[in-house]
Coordinates of all heavy atoms in Angstrom, one line a residue:
E12 N 45.3 92.5 81.5 CA 45.1 91.6 80.3 C 44.3 92.4 79.3 O 44.5 92.3 78.1 CB 44.4 90.4 80.8 CG 45.3 89.4 81.5 CD 44.6 88.1 81.9 OE1 43.5 87.8 81.3 OE2 45.1 87.3 82.7
A13 N 43.3 93.1 79.7 CA 42.4 93.9 78.8 C 43.2 94.9 78.1 O 43.0 95.2 76.9 CB 41.3 94.5 79.6
D14 N 44.1 95.6 78.8 CA 45.0 96.6 78.2 C 45.9 96.0 77.1 O 46.1 96.7 76.1 CB 45.8 97.3 79.3 CG 46.6 98.5 78.7 OD1 46.0 99.4 78.1 OD2 47.9 98.4 78.8
R15 N 46.4 94.9 77.4 CA 47.4 94.3 76.4 C 46.8 93.9 75.1 O 47.5 93.8 74.1 CB 48.1 93.0 77.0 CG 49.1 93.4 78.1 CD 50.0 92.2 78.4 NE 49.3 91.1 79.1 CZ 49.2 91.0 80.4 NH1 49.7 92.0 81.2 NH2 48.5 90.0 80.9
I16 N 45.5 93.6 75.1 CA 44.8 93.2 73.8 C 44.3 94.4 73.0 O 43.7 94.2 71.9 CB 43.7 92.2 74.1 CG1 42.6 92.8 74.9 CG2 44.3 90.9 74.7 CD1 41.4 91.8 75.1
L17 N 44.3 95.6 73.5 CA 43.8 96.7 72.8 C 44.7 97.0 71.5 O 45.9 96.8 71.6 CB 43.8 98.0 73.6 CG 42.9 98.0 74.9 CD1 43.1 99.3 75.7 CD2 41.5 97.8 74.5
N18 N 44.1 97.4 70.5 CA 44.8 97.7 69.2 C 44.2 98.9 68.6 O 43.3 98.8 67.8 CB 44.7 96.5 68.2 CG 45.6 96.7 67.0 OD1 45.7 97.8 66.5 ND2 46.2 95.6 66.6
P19 N 44.7 100.1 69.1 CA 44.0 101.4 68.6 C 44.0 101.5 67.1 O 43.0 102.1 66.6 CB 44.9 102.4 69.3 CG 45.5 101.7 70.5 CD 45.7 100.3 70.0
V20 N 45.0 101.1 66.4 CA 45.0 101.3 64.9 C 43.8 100.4 64.3 O 43.1 100.9 63.5 CB 46.3 100.8 64.3 CG1 46.3 100.8 62.8 CG2 47.4 101.8 64.8
L21 N 43.7 99.2 64.7 CA 42.6 98.4 64.2 C 41.3 98.9 64.6 O 40.3 99.0 63.8 CB 42.8 96.9 64.7 CG 41.7 95.9 64.2 CD1 41.6 95.9 62.7 CD2 42.1 94.5 64.8
E22 N 41.2 99.3 65.9 CA 39.9 99.9 66.4 C 39.5 101.1 65.5 O 38.3 101.2 65.1 CB 40.0 100.3 67.8 CG 40.1 99.1 68.8 CD 40.5 99.6 70.2 OE1 40.6 100.8 70.4 OE2 40.8 98.7 71.0
Q23 N 40.4 102.0 65.3 CA 40.0 103.2 64.5 C 39.7 102.9 63.1 O 38.8 103.5 62.5 CB 41.2 104.2 64.6 CG 41.4 104.8 66.0 CD 42.3 106.0 66.0 OE1 42.9 106.4 64.9 NE2 42.5 106.6 67.1
N24 N 40.3 101.9 62.5 CA 39.9 101.5 61.2 C 38.5 101.0 61.2 O 37.7 101.3 60.3 CB 40.9 100.4 60.7 CG 42.1 100.9 59.9 OD1 42.0 101.0 58.7 ND2 43.1 101.2 60.6
I25 N 38.2 100.2 62.1 CA 36.8 99.6 62.2 C 35.8 100.7 62.4 O 34.7 100.8 61.7 CB 36.7 98.6 63.4 CG1 37.5 97.3 63.1 CG2 35.3 98.2 63.6 CD1 37.7 96.4 64.2
H26 N 36.0 101.6 63.3 CA 35.1 102.7 63.7 C 34.8 103.6 62.5 O 33.6 103.9 62.2 CB 35.6 103.5 64.8 CG 35.9 102.7 66.1 ND1 36.7 103.2 67.1 CD2 35.4 101.5 66.5 CE1 36.7 102.3 68.1 NE2 36.0 101.3 67.7
L27 N 35.9 104.0 61.7 CA 35.7 104.8 60.6 C 35.0 104.1 59.4 O 34.1 104.7 58.8 CB 37.0 105.4 60.1 CG 37.0 106.3 58.9 CD1 36.1 107.5 59.2 CD2 38.4 106.8 58.6
Y28 N 35.3 102.8 59.2 CA 34.7 102.0 58.2 C 33.2 101.9 58.4 O 32.4 102.1 57.5 CB 35.3 100.7 58.2 CG 35.0 99.8 57.0 CD1 35.8 99.7 55.9 CD2 33.8 99.0 57.0 CE1 35.5 98.8 54.8 CE2 33.4 98.2 55.9 CZ 34.3 98.1 54.9 OH 34.0 97.3 53.8
L29 N 32.8 101.7 59.7 CA 31.4 101.5 60.0 C 30.7 102.9 59.9 O 29.6 103.0 59.3 CB 31.2 101.0 61.4 CG 31.7 99.5 61.6 CD1 31.6 99.2 63.1 CD2 30.8 98.6 60.8
L30 N 31.3 104.0 60.3 CA 30.7 105.3 60.3 C 30.4 105.7 58.8 O 29.3 106.2 58.6 CB 31.7 106.3 60.9 CG 31.1 107.7 61.1 CD1 30.1 107.8 62.2 CD2 32.2 108.7 61.4
N31 N 31.3 105.4 57.9 CA 31.1 105.7 56.5 C 30.0 104.9 55.9 O 29.5 105.2 54.8 CB 32.4 105.5 55.7 CG 33.3 106.6 55.8 OD1 33.0 107.7 56.2 ND2 34.6 106.4 55.5
R32 N 29.5 103.9 56.6 CA 28.4 103.1 56.2 C 27.1 103.2 57.0 O 26.3 102.4 57.1 CB 28.8 101.6 56.1 CG 29.8 101.4 54.9 CD 30.8 100.3 55.1 NE 31.7 100.2 54.0 CZ 32.8 101.0 53.8 NH1 33.0 101.9 54.8 NH2 33.6 100.9 52.8
G33 N 27.1 104.4 57.8 CA 25.9 104.7 58.5 C 25.8 103.9 59.8 O 24.6 103.8 60.3
L34 N 26.9 103.5 60.4 CA 26.8 102.7 61.7 C 27.8 103.4 62.7 O 29.0 103.5 62.4 CB 27.2 101.3 61.4 CG 26.3 100.5 60.4 CD1 27.0 99.3 59.9 CD2 25.0 100.1 61.2
V35 N 27.3 103.7 63.9 CA 28.2 104.4 64.9 C 28.3 103.4 66.1 O 27.3 103.0 66.7 CB 27.6 105.7 65.3 CG1 28.4 106.4 66.3 CG2 27.3 106.6 64.1
I36 N 29.6 103.1 66.4 CA 29.9 102.5 67.7 C 30.8 103.4 68.5 O 31.3 104.3 68.0 CB 30.5 101.1 67.5 CG1 31.9 101.1 67.0 CG2 29.6 100.2 66.6 CD1 32.6 99.8 66.9
T37 N 30.9 103.0 69.8 CA 31.7 103.9 70.7 C 33.1 104.0 70.2 O 33.8 103.0 69.9 CB 31.7 103.3 72.1 OG1 30.3 103.1 72.5 CG2 32.4 104.2 73.1
P38 N 33.7 105.2 70.2 CA 35.0 105.4 69.5 C 36.2 105.0 70.3 O 37.3 104.8 69.8 CB 35.0 107.0 69.3 CG 34.2 107.5 70.4 CD 33.1 106.5 70.6
F39 N 36.0 104.9 71.7 CA 37.2 104.6 72.5 C 37.6 103.2 72.6 O 38.7 102.8 73.0 CB 37.0 105.2 73.9 CG 36.5 106.6 73.9 CD1 35.3 107.0 74.4 CD2 37.3 107.6 73.3 CE1 34.8 108.3 74.3 CE2 36.8 108.9 73.2 CZ 35.6 109.3 73.8
H40 N 36.7 102.3 72.3 CA 37.0 100.8 72.3 C 35.9 100.2 71.4 O 35.3 100.9 70.6 CB 37.1 100.2 73.7 CG 36.1 100.7 74.7 ND1 34.9 100.1 75.0 CD2 36.1 101.8 75.4 CE1 34.3 100.8 75.9 NE2 35.0 101.8 76.2
N41 N 35.5 99.0 71.6 CA 34.6 98.3 70.6 C 33.3 98.0 71.3 O 32.7 96.9 71.1 CB 35.2 97.1 70.1 CG 36.5 97.4 69.3 OD1 36.6 98.4 68.5 ND2 37.5 96.6 69.5
M42 N 32.7 99.0 72.1 CA 31.5 98.8 72.8 C 30.3 99.2 71.9 O 30.4 100.2 71.2 CB 31.5 99.6 74.1 CG 30.4 99.3 75.0 SD 28.8 100.2 74.7 CE 29.2 101.8 75.1
M43 N 29.2 98.4 72.1 CA 28.0 98.7 71.3 C 26.8 98.5 72.3 O 26.8 97.6 73.1 CB 27.8 97.7 70.2 CG 29.0 97.8 69.1 SD 29.3 96.2 68.3 CE 30.0 95.2 69.6
L44 N 25.9 99.5 72.2 CA 24.7 99.4 73.0 C 23.5 99.4 72.1 O 23.5 99.9 71.0 CB 24.5 100.6 73.9 CG 25.3 100.7 75.2 CD1 25.3 102.1 75.7 CD2 24.7 99.8 76.2
V45 N 22.4 98.7 72.5 CA 21.1 98.8 71.8 C 20.2 99.5 72.8 O 20.3 99.5 74.0 CB 20.6 97.4 71.5 CG1 21.5 96.7 70.4 CG2 20.4 96.5 72.7
C46 N 19.2 100.2 72.2 CA 18.2 100.9 73.0 C 16.8 100.4 72.7 O 16.6 99.6 71.8 CB 18.3 102.4 72.7 SG 17.7 103.0 71.1
P47 N 15.8 100.9 73.3 CA 14.4 100.5 73.0 C 14.0 100.7 71.6 O 13.0 100.0 71.1 CB 13.5 101.3 74.0 CG 14.4 101.6 75.1 CD 15.8 101.8 74.5
D48 N 14.6 101.6 70.9 CA 14.2 101.9 69.5 C 15.1 101.2 68.5 O 14.8 101.2 67.3 CB 14.4 103.4 69.2 CG 13.5 104.3 70.1 OD1 12.2 104.2 69.8 OD2 13.9 104.9 71.0
T49 N 16.1 100.4 68.9 CA 16.9 99.6 68.0 C 16.0 98.5 67.5 O 15.2 97.9 68.2 CB 18.1 99.1 68.7 OG1 18.8 100.1 69.4 CG2 19.1 98.4 67.8
T50 N 16.3 98.1 66.2 CA 15.5 97.1 65.6 C 16.4 95.9 65.3 O 17.6 96.0 65.2 CB 14.8 97.5 64.3 OG1 15.8 97.8 63.3 CG2 14.0 98.8 64.5
A51 N 15.8 94.7 65.0 CA 16.6 93.6 64.5 C 17.3 93.9 63.2 O 18.4 93.4 63.0 CB 15.6 92.4 64.4
D52 N 16.7 94.6 62.4 CA 17.3 95.0 61.1 C 18.6 95.8 61.4 O 19.6 95.7 60.7 CB 16.4 95.7 60.2 CG 15.3 94.8 59.5 OD1 15.5 93.6 59.6 OD2 14.3 95.4 59.0
D53 N 18.5 96.7 62.4 CA 19.6 97.6 62.7 C 20.8 96.7 63.2 O 22.0 96.9 62.8 CB 19.3 98.5 63.9 CG 18.3 99.6 63.5 OD1 18.2 99.9 62.3 OD2 17.6 100.1 64.4
V54 N 20.5 95.7 64.0 CA 21.5 94.8 64.5 C 22.1 94.0 63.3 O 23.4 93.8 63.2 CB 20.9 93.8 65.6 CG1 21.9 92.7 65.9 CG2 20.6 94.6 66.8
D55 N 21.3 93.4 62.5 CA 21.8 92.6 61.4 C 22.7 93.5 60.4 O 23.7 93.0 59.9 CB 20.6 92.0 60.6 CG 19.9 91.0 61.4 OD1 20.4 90.6 62.5 OD2 18.7 90.7 61.0
R56 N 22.3 94.7 60.3 CA 23.1 95.7 59.5 C 24.5 95.9 60.1 O 25.5 96.0 59.3 CB 22.3 97.0 59.3 CG 23.0 97.9 58.3 CD 22.1 99.2 58.2 NE 22.9 100.3 57.8 CZ 22.5 101.6 57.8 NH1 21.3 101.9 58.3 NH2 23.3 102.5 57.4
L57 N 24.6 96.0 61.4 CA 25.8 96.2 62.1 C 26.7 94.9 61.9 O 27.9 95.0 61.6 CB 25.7 96.5 63.5 CG 26.9 96.6 64.4 CD1 27.9 97.7 63.8 CD2 26.6 97.0 65.8
V58 N 26.1 93.8 62.1 CA 26.9 92.5 61.9 C 27.4 92.4 60.4 O 28.6 92.1 60.2 CB 26.0 91.3 62.3 CG1 26.8 90.0 61.9 CG2 25.7 91.3 63.7

């Protein structure tokens, strides 16, 4: 089921759009991690 809902074209559009705006998420799917140095402003900026 997880495989059937993947959309590589849409994913790559999202990843590049965010990268050009100073936001990096995992390139292979739509995973995002926060770390001890991440801030609430960082999160709001990603949303």
Side-chain angles (χ1 to χ4, degrees):
E12 290 184 10
D14 183 60
R15 284 195 293 270
I16 63 174
L17 297 176
N18 187 319
V20 173
L21 179 57
E22 290 169 8
Q23 290 191 1
N24 270 269
I25 293 171
H26 302 162
L27 180 57
Y28 190 98
L29 293 174
L30 188 70
N31 279 343
R32 287 150 185 82
L34 299 158
V35 180
I36 70 173
T37 306
F39 309 119
H40 38 97
N41 299 317
M42 190 277 290
M43 299 152 289
L44 280 165
V45 296
C46 73
D48 297 289
T49 307
T50 68
D52 286 345
D53 293 336
V54 168
D55 294 345
R56 187 177 156 197
L57 178 56
V58 173

